[in-house]
Structures are given as C-alpha cells and as structure tokens.
Amino acid sequence: MWKDKPALYAALVISCGILSAYVSALSWQTWGVGVIVCLLISIAELWKRKNVLGRQIIFSAWCTFLLFFAAALSYSSELQLQSKNSISFFADTQEPIRITCKVIDEPRVSKGRTTATVEMISVSYETDSLTVDGKAILTIQPDKRRNEQPTNIMYGSILSFDGTVESPSSARNPGEFSYRDYLALNNIFATIHVYGYSKVSVSEQRETNWFFEKIIFPSKNFITRTILVAMKGDEANFLIGLLLGDRTDISAEIKSAFINTGTIHVLAVSGSHVALVVVIIYAFFGVLRLPRSPKIIATIFAIIYYMYLTNATPSVVRASLMAIVVLLGKLVQEKSSVYNNLGISAVIIFLVEPKQLFDVGFQLSFSAVFSMTYFYPKLEFLIKNIPQSLARYTWIEKVMQLFALTLAAQIGTIPFTAYYFGKVSLISFVANLIVVPLVEVNIIIGMSGALLGILSMWIASCFSEVNQLFAWFALWFVKLANQVPLATISTAAFGLKETFFYSTVVGMVFNLRNKIFVRRTILVVFAVSDIFLLASLVEQRLHPLRVTFFDVGQGDAALIQFPTGETMLVDGGPKTLTYDAGEKIVLPFLRRNEINNLDVVLVTHPHADHLGGVPAIMRSLPVKKIIIPNQRAQSLLYTEFENQKRHTTTTIAMAGNIISEIPNARLYLLHPTTAFLDSDSSDGYTELNNVSVVFKLQYGATSFLFVGDAETPVEEQLDVVYGDFLRSDVLKAGHHGSITSSSEEF
C-alpha cells in the first residue's frame, strides 16, 4: 500500500509522533531515550542488511520507530526547552518595565492604535538590565488626553519604552478559541501594551532584512496601490485578501458569509492561488522565449517570492513546496506522485516547525489535497458514465468535473470545518461552483494588473475597474447564498467520535467493491465503538456530578450536570447593548456538549449581569422549569424574561424549600426570606442583590454553596439561622467577590 508513497508514509509517522508528544505531555528526556534506543537498533539492523537499500529501509520497523520518537522529541523539546531569557518568563509582572525591541514586520495602524510584531532585545529594571529573546505582539495606544497622533514606526525600527508584558489570553471557557495557542504556533509568547506614543523612543538606526525591506514589503505596498487606485470598500479588501492573504480589513459579516456558505477556503492563499501564479509566470517567461530549464528555475524563484509575499502561511508553504517538487521533477525529467509531493512538503514543514501540525490552515490544506487526489478519480469514473444524450453537451461535463473536484475536497475537509467552525454548509457544493471560478478570474485579473502596473498605473487601474465588477458579484452571490434558509447545520458537538464514524462511512461508500476492506472496516467499527462506550462509562464514574462555572465577564453563569442526565443552569451572564453572554458563551458551550434542553433555569435575582443571557437561552432551547425569587424588576430585560417564561413551569424560591426531584441530590433553598422582598417593586426597589436565591447543592458527600449577589446583611442572617450547615466544599463567592460580600464571619 505504501511502497510507492514513502514520503507520505514518513509524514504520517512523524505526525503520529508529534501528536503522541502533544497528548501524553511526556518529558523530552523520555522521548530522547526512545530515539537513542531506536537509532542503535536501526544501525545494527542496517549493518546486518547491507544489501537492502532505498525505500525498504524507510519501511523497516525500527526506522519507523526512530522517525516516530524523533518527531516526538523535536516537538516536546521545542515546548519544554525554552531559553532562560525568553520573554514569557517576564510576563504578567505587575509594574511596567523598560523594554527594548526590534520591529520585525510592517506595523499596522488602525484608529490611532499601532500593532506590530517585535523581537525582544532587553528588559531593564531600576538596578539591572537583562538580555531577552523571543517574539511578542506590541500594541501602542494613543493618549487621548494629549490628542496624540501615531508615531512613524517602520519595519526594523529599534524601540525603547516602559510597558507591561502579559501572557496572551487563553480560552476563557472550555472549547473556546485560545489566542495564546494561536500565537504560540507562530512562536509568539507575550503581548506588550504601551499607553501613549510619548513613552516610545524610536532609534534612528534600523536593523532590517534586505530581502523583506527592498523586495517583499515594497511589492505588497505596490500591489495594494494598484488595487486601491480604482477599487474601494469590501471589494478592495476582498481582492487584497485573495492576492496577499491579508484578511484583516475584510468585514466580520463577509467572513461569516463565506464560512456559512462553505467558501471560506478561497480567502486562504493555497494551492489554486499558487497554481495560477505558476501558470501566469510560466506563460510570461514563455513569451520572453526563455529556454525550458531557465524558465523552470525562474518560475521556482517566482514561487518562493510569492510564498513570502503572502506571509508564508502553512497552506501556501505546502502548495509552494509541492509546486517546486513538481517543477524540479520536470527539470530532471522525473515523474512524481502527488502523494509523495504532499508527503515531502509535510516533512519539510515538520523539520522546520513541528507545531504546524496543529495549525488549522495546515490541516485544511493537506486534507483537501489528499482528499482530491484520492476521491476525485472515483467520482470522475461516475462522470464518464453519464447518459449519451447529456455527454454531447461538453459544458455539462465541465460543470460536473468542477462539482466532483469540489465534492472531493469537501469530503476530506468536512471533519475539520465541522470541528473548528461548529457548522457545515449544505449549499457549499452549489456555492463553490459559482464562487471558485469567479475567484480565479479575480486572481488572474489582479495579478495581471499588478504586473502591468509596473509599466503603467493607468493600465493597472483599468484592470482594477474590471475586477471591481467581478469582486462585487462574488461578494453579492456569497451574501445571497448565506441568506438561504437552513443553509448550514450546527456541528458544535463534532469531535473525535464523530470524525471516526464519518470517515468510516465515507471509506466504505467509496470502497464497496473491496470486500476485504469492508469486512475489516466493520470489525474496526465494532472494536472502536466498544472503546468509546467503555470510555464514556469510565468518565461517568470518574465525574458523577459536573459543575461548570463560566467566565462571562462581569456577571454569573454556572451549569450543573447530574449523572442521571438532568441539567440545571444558574443565571445566564450579563447582557449589554453589544454583548449577550447567553448567546456568545453559554449557548455555544451547551451545543458543544450536546445539551439540547435544560431541566431547570434558576435566576438568582433580576439584575442584568445575572438575568441578561437567560432570554437568549430560552429562545434557543426548551426549558422545563424556571426557579426565581418573588421579586419583579423595572426593566425591559425583565419584561422580556416575563413574556418568555409564561409558557414554562415557574417555581418561586423561598427559604426553607427543598428540591429533591433528582436522585441522590438535594437543593436546599436558604434565601430569600420575606423580610428582604418587595413584591410590589413599583417604586423601583434597589436592593435586588439581597433578594438573591441562596441554595446549597448536596450530592452524596459533595456540596456546593451558591450565594448569588447576596451581601453582608444576608450573610449575617444565614450565619445565624444555618450555622455549620453552610459549610460546603465549593463556595460561589457572593457579588463577584466584592467588598459588599464575603464578610469575615460568613
């Protein structure tokens, strides 16, 4: 199976090694021992089999283990053997420190704020100065009191300033996007914030890379000018994203539309872009009548140039490496395999940066190419069997080929889009039939305009005028497709188990004629199903009760999950004019965990930072019971909540009540009492914190005490009435830990 694909085999072994190091988190020394053992045995084995050369060596067991352990060692050592002078060790200091750094990319200025990637040089304290290494994201905010304007900061500038170093924010809640992990993939481990341009000293001396300063950055600026000379708005930002891979200025609405229609891949510079570059450059050198070998070499240099022009993202690096391998094969007249080309590019990327295995662009790019290579021939076979009456229309065959190519790519990328984006587009196959050709036209016109702009900016403007129309139509179509009802299905709960069964079904459908494959697959399905079942039973025994406290900002929200399947939400987080925690935080978590209804929603009190997210949750999921204090509030939010709970069973929470409907669990309601309630509330009652529902959850020997926003007067009463009964394993601090609560006696 693998004999003619040694590079792909090696790439898969290396991937398994990196993944094992990631999952196990073993020390680099452990993997190092494995490398030494496998290396010694491999040398001994090769010595015994001197006559065995070439591909057979790669497939030998000990060489396979050696690759596996070496990959794991490379990944783990990169994570664990950070320099003692790394900027990450200076993060999260409380006071500003004196920092000296170098700007290593073109700074971006937006709304007066400057953002740049910097390479650290040193940090200074009052009595000491230390050399520091590593990269960080620097943000300089203008001092509005001084009406500051941005300082001219350029690539290569040496900066000195007093600033604070922080660790990038991690995922605030389970399953959310982690900015820290995203930056770590690019070896960035800190963020630096400076308030006021007056605090930044810019050295007259600059340290630059000649290739980037004289070629790459001027080229980017020139291409941007050729676009902006006649284009504007979303269309201009769209084309800049297509040609240069810079999607920063594309609006969130358009990005969302591309995601929902399954066409987001066109915004990532990848194989199709590189292929068009190769065609255009190859044709251009052909017009100049360059001989074959110089033409190939010149095209390879052009590919490398374009790779750096588009920031050398994993997808464009993969495509560029594959194109270079193919061209080198042409140069030496050696026919190459797509699978091997894919494997070679993966191995090269892993050698340089093993962390790229976890980059979304890397995963989508490689899965798409592998899927097209594997599935398209099988789909093409069906195209060749279309009825004779349709075969005479050549355009039908072309459309079906494009559809088959799109389908082949989507088959491989669906698990990744389902997991990372939480949705799968049902109209992506149709949308891609229109969008992909349009984008290719945009790229061809844009690149041609940029090249001709060297001769005349007027010619470039003519090309941009035409591109404006095509870009407008592409965006209009994507927005239209996004409005189709039920255009996407939610896949928020898609994970390892779903990926396995999806891959199994797809594999069987495309290999029905291979009886041996089908029989083996069925056996694997039964075996893996047993493993998943056993794992779920073990997890249930290890976690009989699960309580999740959400990070919703200034507010409260917690989910209680009982082993018998019941779910209880305590508060829904805050809601403001621009932010709804129920919609942004709680609902996505519920969907990721396949919670499609709530048995109980308990609202501790009707303040917006507790009640705010509840209406959005109730609009989206069925709720069986609402528990609230007998206290109304004078607000539009509470009115909306009241309208929604009319069709739901409502229980008024009063001190002394016990809820015992869930096996092995008791909810003891300890507050409010009538003394703290104002049932009329028409006069705008302001003591809503002290009507908070306070309850103790007892599950077996484990207990939780939820006190809402109850303040010191309530705590004093609880202490007098309940005394030692308040003792609990976990306390949800009152009023977010403010000074009005958590009294010493309590």
Side-chain angles (χ1 to χ4, degrees):
M1 176 182 179
W2 299 104
K3 295 300 181 183
D4 59 338
K5 311 175 189 71
L8 184 61
Y9 175 81
L12 289 174
V13 172
I14 292 172
S15 298
C16 291
I18 295 171
L19 193 59
S20 298
Y22 171 78
V23 172
S24 66
L26 294 174
S27 68
W28 66 270
Q29 293 97 329
T30 304
W31 298 112
V33 170
V35 169
I36 294 171
V37 171
C38 292
L39 180 61
L40 293 175
I41 296 176
S42 298
I43 292 172
E45 183 181 334
L46 291 173
W47 181 258
K48 289 180 181 179
R49 303 166 61 190
K50 297 177 186 177
N51 59 327
V52 179
L53 298 173
R55 295 180 178 181
Q56 293 184 35
I57 295 174
I58 295 175
F59 296 107
S60 68
W62 287 109
C63 281
T64 297
F65 284 130
L66 178 59
L67 266 181
F68 174 87
F69 280 102
L73 173 62
S74 174
Y75 176 78
S76 58
S77 61
E78 184 175 332
L79 288 186
Q80 298 170 23
L81 295 179
Q82 280 192 351
S83 165
K84 293 181 180 179
N85 294 329
S86 171
I87 183 61
S88 59
F89 294 117
F90 297 87
D92 304 318
T93 53
Q94 297 300 317
E95 68 283 343
I97 55 179
R98 190 68 179 175
I99 297 169
T100 303
C101 60
K102 178 177 70 174
V103 179
I104 58 174
D105 201 352
E106 281 201 311
R108 177 177 293 276
V109 180
S110 176
K111 298 179 180 178
R113 182 178 65 180
T114 298
T115 305
T117 305
V118 297
E119 183 77 42
M120 302 303 299
I121 298 176
S122 68
V123 296
S124 302
Y125 296 91
E126 290 183 2
T127 59
D128 197 9
S129 179
L130 300 170
T131 300
V132 179
D133 53 43
K135 293 191 289 186
I137 298 294
L138 169 66
T139 303
I140 307 173
Q141 296 273 16
D143 188 339
K144 295 181 179 179
R145 296 170 299 180
R146 299 185 178 184
N147 196 25
E148 285 187 332
Q149 296 300 314
T151 301
N152 184 28
I153 297 173
M154 302 172 63
Y155 163 68
S157 295
I158 306 297
L159 310 179
S160 296
F161 50 82
D162 291 326
T164 55
V165 182
E166 298 175 358
S167 298
S169 59
S170 59
R172 291 175 55 184
N173 292 285
E176 288 185 352
F177 170 75
S178 172
Y179 186 53
R180 180 180 300 175
D181 293 344
Y182 168 75
L183 290 181
L185 287 174
N186 297 290
N187 295 312
I188 299 172
F189 299 101
T191 56
I192 302 173
H193 299 274
V194 181
Y195 297 95
Y197 285 96
S198 60
K199 297 179 180 179
V200 180
S201 173
V202 183
S203 172
E204 294 182 2
Q205 180 185 3
R206 293 169 58 222
E207 295 180 8
T208 62
N209 180 295
W210 176 87
F211 177 65
F212 284 96
E213 184 179 29
K214 300 298 183 183
I215 297 178
I216 296 300
F217 293 142
S219 297
K220 283 186 177 183
N221 295 330
F222 177 77
I223 292 172
T224 302
R225 284 201 309 274
T226 62
I227 294 171
L228 296 178
V229 71
M231 298 179 67
K232 58 183 179 180
D234 288 335
E235 290 78 13
N237 295 330
F238 172 61
L239 188 58
I240 291 170
L242 289 181
L243 296 184
L244 301 177
D246 184 0
R247 295 182 285 175
T248 309
D249 294 325
I250 299 177
S251 66
E253 177 193 1
I254 290 176
K255 289 179 185 176
S256 177
F258 274 98
I259 291 172
N260 293 339
T261 55
T263 55
I264 186 65
H265 62 92
V266 303
L267 294 180
V269 178
S270 58
S272 58
H273 298 67
V274 174
L276 289 171
V277 169
V278 171
V279 170
I280 292 171
I281 300 299
Y282 209 70
F284 176 74
F285 289 140
V287 172
L288 298 178
R289 298 194 176 277
L290 281 179
R292 184 172 179 274
S293 295
K295 182 164 59 175
I296 291 174
I297 294 171
T299 304
I300 289 173
F301 278 108
I303 291 171
I304 295 172
Y305 161 76
Y306 184 68
M307 182 176 71
Y308 283 106
L309 192 67
T310 53
N311 299 321
T313 57
S315 58
V316 74
V317 169
R318 188 272 311 158
S320 299
L321 288 173
M322 288 188 69
I324 290 170
V325 170
V326 171
L327 289 171
L328 288 175
K330 287 181 175 292
L331 191 63
V332 298
Q333 297 183 347
E334 184 75 27
K335 192 173 182 181
S336 59
S337 158
V338 176
Y339 290 116
N340 266 333
N341 293 346
L342 192 64
I344 290 170
S345 59
V347 169
I348 293 173
I349 291 173
F350 292 149
L351 286 173
V352 176
E353 188 56 82
K355 289 199 296 273
Q356 290 304 319
L357 176 64
F358 304 105
D359 184 89
V360 180
F362 175 92
Q363 295 171 7
L364 286 172
S365 180
F366 275 81
S367 62
V369 175
F370 180 87
S371 184
M372 285 189 289
T373 306
Y374 182 78
F375 290 112
Y376 181 73
K378 298 177 183 293
L379 294 168
E380 192 178 33
F381 175 78
L382 298 176
I383 296 173
K384 292 177 180 177
N385 293 317
I386 61 175
Q388 199 66 32
S389 57
L390 296 176
R392 56 192 179 127
Y393 298 106
T394 56
W395 66 269
I396 292 180
E397 185 177 354
K398 297 294 183 185
V399 170
M400 291 186 69
Q401 286 175 342
L402 178 59
F403 180 83
L405 192 64
T406 301
L407 177 59
Q410 296 257 338
I411 289 171
T413 56
I414 277 178
F416 298 98
T417 55
Y419 176 75
Y420 288 114
F421 299 116
K423 61 185 75 171
V424 169
S425 173
L426 298 179
I427 61 168
S428 62
F429 304 116
V430 176
N432 275 287
L433 291 177
I434 305 297
V435 174
V436 170
L438 277 173
V439 165
E440 290 181 351
V441 171
N442 279 135
I443 294 171
I444 292 170
I445 296 175
M447 288 180 177
S448 302
L451 287 172
L452 293 172
I454 299 172
L455 302 175
S456 168
M457 192 60 78
W458 179 81
I459 296 176
S461 68
C462 293
F463 276 76
S464 293
E465 288 282 3
V466 175
N467 232 352
Q468 173 86 16
L469 180 62
F470 281 101
W472 172 84
F473 183 73
L475 295 179
W476 172 83
F477 178 80
V478 170
K479 291 177 184 176
L480 181 68
N482 187 40
Q483 295 173 4
V484 175
L486 303 176
T488 61
I489 56 172
S490 174
T491 56
F494 202 92
L496 181 63
K497 180 172 61 176
E498 291 76 18
T499 299
F500 169 77
F501 288 115
Y502 167 82
S503 303
T504 301
V505 170
V506 169
M508 290 183 66
V509 167
F510 281 88
N511 291 278
L512 288 175
R513 294 184 179 182
N514 189 337
K515 302 299 182 185
I516 296 176
F517 178 88
V518 172
R519 283 199 297 268
R520 289 178 178 175
T521 302
I522 291 173
L523 289 174
V524 171
V525 167
F526 278 115
V528 175
S529 298
D530 289 339
I531 292 172
F532 280 128
L533 179 61
L534 180 63
S536 65
L537 292 174
V538 170
E539 183 183 17
Q540 193 176 58
R541 290 181 65 85
L542 291 175
H543 305 288
L545 176 74
R546 185 185 297 273
V547 181
T548 303
F549 293 91
F550 297 103
D551 180 354
V552 291
Q554 177 61 39
D556 272 6
L559 178 71
I560 304 170
Q561 295 170 267
F562 297 93
T564 46
E566 293 86 354
T567 53
M568 176 178 177
L569 181 70
V570 182
D571 291 328
K575 180 182 180 181
T576 65
L577 292 174
T578 58
Y579 174 71
D580 187 327
E583 186 177 301
K584 298 293 185 183
I585 304 295
V586 181
L587 273 173
F589 177 89
L590 297 177
R591 290 175 179 138
R592 282 194 297 270
N593 289 273
E594 301 182 78
I595 298 173
N596 300 314
N597 61 76
L598 292 168
D599 294 282
V600 178
V601 171
L602 187 152
V603 179
T604 57
H605 65 292
H607 269 157
D609 57 345
H610 291 249
L611 174 65
V614 172
I617 295 166
M618 294 182 67
R619 283 195 301 269
S620 303
L621 297 179
V623 176
K624 295 180 182 178
K625 179 188 287 188
I626 297 286
I627 299 178
I628 54 173
N630 188 26
Q631 179 66 61
R632 297 186 73 258
Q634 299 297 318
S635 68
L636 292 175
L637 175 64
Y638 190 80
T639 302
E640 180 186 3
F641 169 67
E642 276 196 318
N643 292 334
Q644 286 186 338
K645 72 180 180 65
R646 285 177 180 174
H647 305 292
T648 304
T649 303
T650 302
T651 297
I652 299 299
M654 289 296 293
N657 291 350
I658 301 175
I659 299 174
S660 57
E661 301 167 3
I662 299 170
N664 204 31
R666 296 288 186 275
L667 259 71
Y668 299 96
L669 302 183
L670 313 181
H671 193 73
T673 60
T674 53
F676 286 88
L677 293 169
D678 178 16
S679 55
D680 177 25
S681 75
S682 59
D683 57 349
Y685 187 57
T686 59
E687 298 298 323
L688 292 179
N689 286 337
N690 284 330
V691 305
S692 291
V693 176
V694 177
F695 70 94
K696 181 174 181 176
L697 167 63
Q698 187 75 44
Y699 182 82
T702 306
S703 56
F704 292 76
L705 185 62
F706 290 78
V707 296
D709 277 359
E711 298 179 346
T712 301
V714 174
E715 292 178 350
E716 291 173 349
Q717 184 191 49
L718 290 171
D719 190 31
V720 170
V721 176
Y722 296 102
D724 286 345
F725 183 72
L726 296 175
R727 295 184 182 277
S728 303
D729 296 296
V730 178
L731 168 69
K732 199 296 295 180
H735 205 187
H736 324 292
S738 75
I739 196 172
T740 61
S741 302
S742 301
S743 55
E744 185 176 351
E745 294 79 4
F746 182 70

